[in-house]
């Protein structure tokens, strides 16, 4: 398998075999790190991390992963470059592509990461856009494989806003790898029909199934994985909170929902999660909406603290795996082969 010089902007661009290869490589790199085996095989490379949206996991995963591979990194935060202000994305791509061997982008428009990929001449990695979040999906699937030993045939349910970047990307990944995907959400928050149709065509070749329902008990019955995400994405205005909460208040992942799943089911979340009042956002949720929506009075939104802190929760194993999978993506797209 040779993915050198490939961009990583959406899982739609990769075959099931290529995705499984990246997961296998991630597992190998994780094992080597635990065993103290160095893999500084890219010491002549430099990469730039271009962030329009802040992130704990994505930034740290790229920086530590690059360091483990022997690369140096430059971080450009939300105010760190002239892209989209004084300089076009196309021009930014042509500048950075002459200085760096790879470019990570985390921001808003999928069109921006695609423009970077088109014009930079070096591999570009999507750390998140409003439509897709492919590096997160690799971490999620590595975690599931570590726990269940396989991916094909897993019963996976996503609860919440199924039209966001996580809902879209998890559906694509499931279709590619033969996972049975169910989206549990109000119909208004289901993915675009065109993307559902695309994934259904993929699923015909892999044995995956895709289903959507507004019934949370039906959609989580006896499943292996329950996954959720924040109800309001980074960058969305506060004005949308009221409407989004009204749409999703009945889709909070609580113990009742977990008990409805298989007895060995796991809970997953890409983080950060609103599960208490120990953050500024959690406090604001409780103070602003707690009286109107009693479920939010403790700052718990998409998941209760009981579920988040339970033995079924694998969110921190999942978070760690961001590093191993991102490292695999960088290695695979910058080097011919790694033994």
């Amino acid at each position: 398998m040779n993915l050198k010089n490939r961009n990583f902007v959406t899982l739609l661009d990769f075959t099931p075999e290529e995705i499984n290869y990246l997961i296998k490589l991630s597992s190998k790199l994780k094992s080597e790190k635990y065993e103290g085996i160095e893999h500084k095989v890219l010491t002549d490379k430099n990469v730039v991390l271009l962030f329009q949206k802040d992130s704990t996991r994505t930034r740290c995963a790229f920086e530590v992963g690059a360091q483990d591979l022997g690369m140096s990194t430059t971080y450009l935060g939300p105010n760190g470059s002239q892209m989209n202000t004084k300089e076009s994305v196309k021009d930014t791509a042509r500048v950075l592509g002459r200085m760096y061997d790879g470019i990570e982008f985390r921001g808003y428009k999928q069109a921006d990461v695609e423009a970077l990929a088109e014009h930079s001449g070096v591999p570009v990695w999507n750390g998140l856009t409003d439509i897709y979040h492919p590096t997160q999906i690799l971490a999620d699937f590595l975690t599931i494989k570590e726990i269940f030993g396989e991916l094909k045939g897993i019963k996976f349910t996503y609860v919440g806003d199924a039209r966001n970047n996580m809902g879209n990307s998890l559906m694509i990944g499931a279709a590619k790898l033969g996972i049975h995907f169910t989206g549990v959400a109000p119909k208004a928050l289901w993915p675009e029909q065109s993307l559902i149709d695309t994934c259904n065509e993929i699923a015909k070749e892999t044995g995956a199934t895709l289903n959507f329902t507004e019934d949370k008990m039906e959609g989580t019955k006896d499943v292996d994985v329950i996954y959720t995400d924040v109800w309001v994405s980074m960058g969305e205005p506060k004005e949308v909170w009221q409407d989004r909460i009204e749409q999703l208040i009945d889709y909070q992942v609580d113990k009742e929902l977990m008990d409805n799943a298989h007895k060995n089911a796991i809970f997953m979340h890409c983080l950060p999660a609103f599960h208490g009042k120990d953050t500024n956002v959690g406090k604001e949720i409780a103070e602003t909406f707690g009286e109107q929506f009693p479920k939010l009075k403790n700052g718990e939104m998409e998941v209760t603290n009981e579920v988040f802190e339970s033995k079924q929760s694998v969110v921190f194993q999942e978070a760690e795996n961001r590093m191993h999978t991102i490292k695999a993506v960088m290695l695979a797209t910058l080097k011919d082969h790694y033994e």
Side-chain angles (χ1 to χ4, degrees):
M1 188 71 65
N2 189 340
L3 303 181
K4 188 177 181 181
N5 296 324
R6 291 276 296 275
N7 298 305
F8 192 77
V9 298
T10 171
L11 289 179
L12 288 170
D13 295 336
F14 289 80
T15 66
E17 292 76 18
E18 289 169 340
I19 297 170
N20 276 315
Y21 167 74
L22 288 171
I23 294 171
K24 183 177 180 181
L25 178 58
S26 304
S27 182
K28 175 181 176 62
L29 293 172
K30 183 175 182 177
S31 295
E32 289 182 354
K33 188 174 179 71
Y34 272 63
E35 293 167 13
I37 301 172
E38 284 195 349
H39 32 249
K40 294 185 182 297
V41 294
L42 296 174
T43 54
D44 60 335
K45 304 295 184 183
N46 300 284
V47 297
V48 60
L49 312 180
L50 191 56
F51 277 60
Q52 293 177 335
K53 290 185 176 182
D54 290 324
S55 171
T56 301
R57 280 150 299 282
T58 303
R59 178 178 177 178
C60 294
F62 270 100
E63 288 190 343
V64 175
Q67 182 175 341
D68 282 357
L69 293 170
M71 296 190 289
S72 66
T73 59
T74 299
Y75 172 77
L76 297 177
N79 299 311
S81 79
Q82 296 294 343
M83 193 175 84
N84 279 328
T85 53
K86 294 182 179 180
E87 189 167 52
S88 68
V89 178
K90 181 178 179 180
D91 288 354
T92 300
R94 290 183 288 185
V95 170
L96 295 178
R98 287 171 177 265
M99 298 183 181
Y100 293 94
D101 301 288
I103 301 170
E104 182 273 348
F105 174 81
R106 178 183 172 90
Y108 296 91
K109 298 178 182 178
Q110 180 69 16
D112 285 351
V113 74
E114 292 175 355
L116 288 169
E118 180 180 357
H119 299 291
S120 67
V122 299
V124 171
W125 311 300
N126 182 357
L128 175 142
T129 66
D130 288 347
I131 300 177
Y132 300 127
H133 197 0
T135 58
Q136 178 67 51
I137 286 17
L138 292 182
D140 297 335
F141 287 1
L142 173 61
T143 306
I144 293 170
K145 190 169 185 179
E146 287 174 338
I147 293 167
F148 293 104
E150 60 185 354
L151 289 168
K152 192 174 182 66
I154 288 291
K155 296 178 181 178
F156 183 105
T157 292
Y158 178 88
V159 180
D161 182 358
R163 72 178 178 189
N164 71 5
N165 47 26
M166 285 306 304
N168 290 339
S169 296
L170 286 165
M171 177 176 66
I172 294 167
K176 290 277 186 177
L177 297 189
I179 294 170
H180 302 304
F181 177 90
T182 299
V184 175
K187 194 165 186 178
L189 296 180
W190 293 3
E192 294 290 336
Q193 188 60 49
S194 59
L195 183 58
I196 294 176
D197 292 342
T198 296
C199 289
N200 271 320
E201 288 301 310
I202 296 169
K204 290 178 182 178
E205 303 297 322
T206 66
T209 57
L210 306 178
N211 294 290
F212 293 89
T213 179
E214 296 184 290
D215 188 328
K216 64 181 181 181
M217 301 307 287
E218 173 190 333
T220 57
K221 183 65 175 176
D222 293 329
V223 299
D224 301 303
V225 181
I226 292 181
Y227 197 116
T228 194
D229 189 14
V230 293
W231 291 346
V232 180
S233 297
M234 183 186 300
E236 290 191 284
K238 287 188 176 181
E239 288 74 21
V240 309
W241 281 82
Q242 179 77 29
D243 290 343
R244 201 65 58 78
I245 289 171
E246 289 177 353
Q247 286 179 301
L248 293 169
I249 190 65
D250 292 329
Y251 294 88
Q252 184 184 69
V253 177
D254 56 16
K255 189 175 185 301
E256 179 186 18
L257 212 59
M258 293 303 303
D259 287 345
N260 190 49
H262 190 275
K263 65 179 181 179
N264 294 323
I266 58 174
F267 169 76
M268 303 185 75
H269 193 304
C270 54
L271 302 182
F274 300 141
H275 61 100
K277 292 194 288 186
D278 51 356
T279 65
N280 292 335
V281 173
K283 292 175 185 176
E284 186 176 358
I285 290 169
E287 293 170 0
T288 307
F289 301 106
E291 185 174 343
Q292 183 180 2
F293 303 101
K295 286 185 178 181
L296 308 184
K297 66 181 180 180
N298 293 320
E300 300 168 319
M301 188 173 279
E302 71 276 6
V303 60
T304 63
N305 193 60
E306 181 180 22
V307 170
F308 187 87
E309 297 291 355
S310 71
K311 292 181 179 180
Q312 290 176 288
S313 175
V314 297
V315 297
F316 296 109
Q317 179 178 345
E318 184 184 358
E320 178 196 339
N321 282 339
R322 290 297 307 284
M323 175 182 63
H324 305 299
T325 49
I326 282 172
K327 189 193 300 184
V329 169
M330 291 191 291
L331 177 57
T333 54
L334 291 174
K335 188 173 174 60
D336 289 316
H337 190 63
Y338 180 72
E339 292 292 343

